[in-house]
């Protein structure tokens, strides 16, 4: 951290309030947590993850947000516009304490060029998904989703596990760094190509990756040996994916499974073109951004061509939510969309039941609070062995980053039930401080993203973004503690619109009522959105759970 920003990010823990209520306190602690050096990828630039996904527009805005949250009354609502606090209105105690709109641009102008112009003028920031909505929890936030994806892939293609298979991927950043751990959790071997050695080191420090090498030969040798022995192993390979994939093909190495999680959604600040050191890339980005973007897109085209070739030679290949296929297609790679996105391939049935990356964070800072909530999951959801196995594995393998937290995919009905239990535990003093409950924007009813969450919808409604807007509005009405609406997360400008929600369990009866409402409407939107699109499982879920859908068919 730079000297002038050092000290601004404070990890508040314990039971002493720094604000006028637990809801404001939660927002303050989560903003700080997003930028904690153990959590954020580049905290000195306010960058949390996902290319330039930021928590606040600039340090001046950060200071003003912190000040506003400290002064905010229990019946006021703070408004944030692309990372800058712009107003405080009197609302009421059951209203959200914060409303956030990040990176939204009128559709005909919604591209990176407009964004960069606005960003340069200091009028906007890129909020990604959980960066600008203050509910990022480090790589754990994606690890179960990644595990669910690989576990489903294993089920569809290899029986029950990834044992005896090699998965090749690239990008070991904030989210991508979860891939090696998810693959080894599913019993497989992973080679993760990463161009920035400090990122590999961070994954090794946090036990997401086992070993590193800068030698392609060594990576292949280690991977093939582990595959033969049937042992799980993850290898961070230093290099550029656009160069290494063709090199692997030239050597006749084809992985069993292939994907990618470089920050391809952002050709200027995310993806590193081939043939450049990080320093040279940074210089070119600064000196000639147009040339940089040109080279970056050309490298992505090469990268995707190699993926298609590996697929043709037998690798089970899927897009992992970074929009790399779209860039390659725009660059003239006709077959870029020959491999599917991970949602239609592996995840959509879960979305139909309102399941998605639900998470909670101990505001106390005490890991014991999370351990106690883990026990609740094991007790209350013991019928779900897959979920219980996940919790046990997470307890053993996941190192907390910043405030202790947990992720697990819960669906409609389960989230509200669990939320109430947590609130009761706070009320009784079993937990030492309130808990924040939230989720990724990548969820069942909160995103419109035609190349990702809503790719290949049954009724062709991929690009309809009314759904996330309804999601944000109903969660605000229900009294979520903060609600956000963003553009461009995951896949970049012009390709997605999505909503986030966070709610605080502070042990009060008011909180109990808000939790019941919000943790019902939020996953409910997922069931409704998929039922409306004609998915049988969602229609059945709506019927079983008694969700009122006026024109439900089927
Ligand atoms: P990040 O910016 O923290 O990390 C990206 C990493 O890719 C960096 O470490 C960078 O050095 C590396 N990289 C860039 N170009 C490379 C190249 N040519 N070869 C090898 N490595 C290269 O981003 P993140 O948070 O890890 O997210 C990665 C991508 O996944 C983003 O596009 C993001 O939007 C997307 N994403 C997907 C999901 C999902 O569930 N599928 C969830 C969140 C984010």
């Amino acid at each position: 951290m730079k000297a002038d920003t050092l000290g601004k990010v404070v990890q508040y823990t314990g039971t002493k309030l720094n604000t006028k209520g637990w809801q404001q306190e939660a927002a303050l602690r989560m903003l700080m947590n997003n930028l904690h050096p153990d959590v954020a990828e580049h905290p000195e630039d306010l960058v949390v993850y996902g290319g330039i996904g930021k928590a606040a527009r600039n340090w001046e805005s950060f200071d003003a947000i912190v000040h506003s949250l400290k002064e905010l009354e229990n019946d006021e609502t703070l408004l944030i516009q692309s990372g800058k606090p712009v107003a405080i209105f009197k609302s009421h105690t059951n209203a959200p304490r914060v409303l956030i709109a990040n990176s939204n641009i009128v559709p005909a102008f919604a591209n990176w060029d407009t964004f960069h112009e606005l960003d340069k003028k200091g009028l906007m920031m890129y909020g990604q998904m959980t960066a600008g909505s203050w509910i990022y929890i480090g790589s754990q936030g994606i690890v179960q989703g990644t595990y669910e994806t690989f576990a489903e892939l294993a089920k569809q293609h290899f029986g029950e596990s990834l044992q005896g298979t090699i998965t090749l991927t690239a990008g070991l950043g904030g989210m991508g760094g979860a891939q090696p751990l998810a693959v080894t959790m599913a019993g497989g071997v992973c080679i993760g190509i990463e161009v920035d050695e400090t990122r590999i080191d961070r994954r090794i420090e946090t036990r997401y990756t086992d070993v590193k090498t800068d030698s392609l030969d060594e990576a292949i040798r280690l991977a093939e040996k582990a595959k033969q022995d049937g042992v799980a192993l993850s290898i961070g390979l230093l290099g550029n994916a656009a160069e290494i994939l063709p090199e692997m093909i030239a050597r006749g190495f084809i992985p069993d499974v292939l994907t990618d999680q470089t920050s391809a959604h952002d050709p200027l600040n995310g993806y590193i073109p081939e043939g450049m050191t990080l320093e040279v890339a940074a210089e070119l980005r600064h000196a000639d951004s147009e040339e940089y973007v040109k080279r970056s897109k050309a490298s992505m085209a090469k990268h995707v061509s190699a993926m298609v070739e590996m697929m043709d030679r037998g690798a089970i290949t899927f897009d992992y939510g970074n929009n790399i296929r779209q860039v390659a297609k725009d660059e003239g790679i006709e077959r870029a969309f020959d491999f599917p996105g991970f949602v239609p391939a592996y995840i959509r049935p879960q979305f139909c039941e309102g399941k998605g990356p639900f998470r909670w964070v101990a505001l106390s800072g005490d890991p014991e609070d999370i351990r106690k909530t883990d026990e609740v999951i094991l007790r209350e959801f013991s019928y779900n062995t897959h979920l219980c196995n996940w919790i046990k594995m997470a307890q053993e393998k996941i190192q907390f980053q910043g405030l202790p937290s947990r992720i697990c995919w819960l669906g409609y009905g389960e989230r509200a039930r669990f939320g109430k239990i947590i609130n009761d535990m706070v009320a009784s003093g079993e937990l030492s401080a309130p808990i924040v409950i939230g989720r990724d924007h990548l969820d069942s009813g909160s995103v419109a993203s035609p190349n990702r969450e809503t790719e290949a919808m049954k009724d062709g409604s991929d690009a309809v973004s009314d759904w996330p807007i309804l999601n944000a509005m109903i969660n605000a009405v229900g009294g979520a503690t903060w609600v956000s609406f963003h553009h461009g997360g995951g896949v970049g400008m012009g390709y997605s619109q999505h909503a986030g929600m966070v709610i605080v369990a502070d042990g009060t009866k008011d909180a109990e009522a808000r939790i019941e409402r919000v943790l019902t409407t939020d996953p409910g939107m997922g069931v409704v959105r998929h039922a409306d699109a004609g998915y049988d499982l969602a229609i059945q879920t709506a019927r079983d759970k008694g969700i009122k859908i006026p024109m439900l068919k089927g």
Side-chain angles (χ1 to χ4, degrees), residues 140 143 181 185 208 390 393-394 396-400 406:
Q140 186 189 174
V143 77
L181 179 58
M185 277 176 158
Y208 275 72
W390 161 256
M393 228 163 14
E396 187 196 334
K397 305 225 173 192
I398 288 176
Q399 187 174 314
F400 296 137
R406 182 64 74 222

Side-chain angles (χ1 to χ4, degrees), residues 50-51 128 174-176 194 199 240-241 261 263 265 272 320 442 490:
Q128 253 289 2
M175 296 283 93
E194 169 56 61
R199 302 290 188 113
N240 190 306
Q261 226 171 25
S263 267
H265 70 279
I272 308 289
Y320 208 5
L442 186 175

Side-chain angles (χ1 to χ4, degrees), residues 41-42 47-53 126 128-129 136 142 145-146 149 169-179 193-197 199-200 203 237 239-243 260-266 269-274 278 292 299-300 303 319-323 342-343 440 442 452-453 488-492:
E41 294 295 308
H42 295 293
V47 167
V48 182
Y49 79 103
I52 50 164
Y126 182 54
Q128 253 289 2
M129 289 195 159
Y136 184 71
I142 199 181
T146 310
T149 301
T169 187
L172 300 183
M175 296 283 93
Q179 298 173 103
I193 306 165
E194 169 56 61
V195 74
D196 180 348
E197 191 166 4
R199 302 290 188 113
I200 304 182
R203 304 310 151 216
L237 170 60
N240 190 306
E243 295 164 31
D260 172 59
Q261 226 171 25
T262 54
S263 267
H265 70 279
D266 183 347
N269 296 295
Y271 196 87
I272 308 289
E274 65 175 314
L278 288 177
Y292 185 100
S299 293
M300 284 190 230
H303 186 163
D319 170 290
Y320 208 5
N322 60 1
N323 218 19
F342 72 107
V343 174
D440 196 352
L442 186 175
R452 207 168 98 166
E453 289 86 341
V491 283

Side-chain angles (χ1 to χ4, degrees), residues 445-448 461 464-472 525 528-529 532-533:
S446 51
V447 199
S461 60
V464 176
S465 58
D466 297 335
W467 297 103
I469 294 174
L470 289 172
N471 175 268
M525 282 303 302
V528 168
R529 197 264 175 273
D532 190 77

